[in-house]
Amino acid sequence: AQSVTQLDSHVSVSEGTPVLLRCNYSSSYSPSLFWYVQHPNKGLQLLLKYTSAATLVKGINGFEAEFKKSETSFHLTKPSAHMSDAAEYFCVGGNTGFQKLVFGTGTRLLVSP
Amino acid sequence: ETGVTQTPRHLVMGMTNKKSLKCEQHLGHNAMYWYKQSAKKPLELMFVYSLEERVENNSVPSRFSPECPNSSHLFLHLHTLQPEDSALYLCASSQKAYYEQYFGPGTRLTVT
């Protein structure tokens, strides 16, 4: 069965410093993995997706993630945080079930001036 | 309109009311979903429709009744809700299995 674990419930950074949001997955099969972002009182927006084409995936707003099979990780990074990046981020895995995605519990990113 | 839209954006209802949430996708997708997002809880998948046929119902109480009249529209009919049903209800759509889902902005529901 597929599971996704986000290792930090909160991450605090200063504006202009790098961002690292950690995600580990477990799957019996080669997974599909996604990162979504949710700003307050908004729906989830797809940041990027991994579907086995390339291990380094670039997304919107300067975010990227690297799929590391040996570490079963799919961490989200950004070189320089902006205030507008403050939001909740969800790591999501594709399950073996029909059209079912498995959501992590979310990481709240706080960005200070 | 583009993407996935949901109406209303906010809804306050009493426990004896009947109301409906509406979702519309403008992406040409074949699958649609209802999720419940409560504070400090993981996102909960409620229902999945594929080509207008319900393919999943995750033990959701019968006071929630979905309807998918066509591949672009999805409704969630609500009746005799409980205060614990207060949450953000998100609709999503996808092209096919394992593909990424696109979410609407959600309906913030408060049951009084």
Side-chain angles (χ1 to χ4, degrees), chain A residues 98-99, chain B residues 3-4 23-34 47-56 67-74 91-102:
Chain A
F98 180 72
Q99 297 186 357
Chain B
V4 181
C23 175
E24 185 173 1
Q25 60 97 359
H26 310 267
L27 300 168
H29 289 167
N30 292 322
M32 297 186 77
Y33 312 75
W34 278 117
F47 301 103
V48 181
Y49 276 82
S50 176
L51 296 171
E52 303 141 46
E53 182 180 337
R54 191 190 309 180
V55 296
E56 185 147 356
E67 179 191 0
C68 187
N70 54 62
S71 59
S72 298
H73 294 87
L74 185 65
C91 173
S93 70
S94 69
Q95 189 176 14
K96 44 179 136 174
Y98 305 125
Y99 277 45
E100 65 271 24
Q101 294 177 15
Y102 292 84

Side-chain angles (χ1 to χ4, degrees), chain B:
Chain B
E1 294 276 15
T2 58
V4 181
T5 57
Q6 290 185 244
T7 53
R9 293 294 310 278
H10 300 272
L11 178 62
V12 179
M13 60 186 288
M15 290 192 287
T16 58
N17 291 158
K18 289 185 180 181
K19 296 286 184 183
S20 296
L21 310 185
K22 179 183 175 182
C23 175
E24 185 173 1
Q25 60 97 359
H26 310 267
L27 300 168
H29 289 167
N30 292 322
M32 297 186 77
Y33 312 75
W34 278 117
Y35 288 87
K36 177 183 179 183
Q37 188 177 34
S38 305
K40 300 183 180 180
K41 284 188 177 180
L43 208 63
E44 300 173 50
L45 177 64
M46 299 175 72
F47 301 103
V48 181
Y49 276 82
S50 176
L51 296 171
E52 303 141 46
E53 182 180 337
R54 191 190 309 180
V55 296
E56 185 147 356
N57 175 352
N58 276 352
S59 302
V60 179
S62 59
R63 57 186 184 269
F64 295 91
S65 174
E67 179 191 0
C68 187
N70 54 62
S71 59
S72 298
H73 294 87
L74 185 65
F75 295 89
L76 188 62
H77 303 301
L78 316 170
H79 65 96
T80 59
L81 294 191
Q82 304 298 311
E84 61 264 28
D85 297 323
S86 298
L88 183 67
Y89 288 83
L90 293 165
C91 173
S93 70
S94 69
Q95 189 176 14
K96 44 179 136 174
Y98 305 125
Y99 277 45
E100 65 271 24
Q101 294 177 15
Y102 292 84
F103 285 79
T107 295
R108 173 69 62 187
L109 174 66
T110 303
V111 181
T112 60

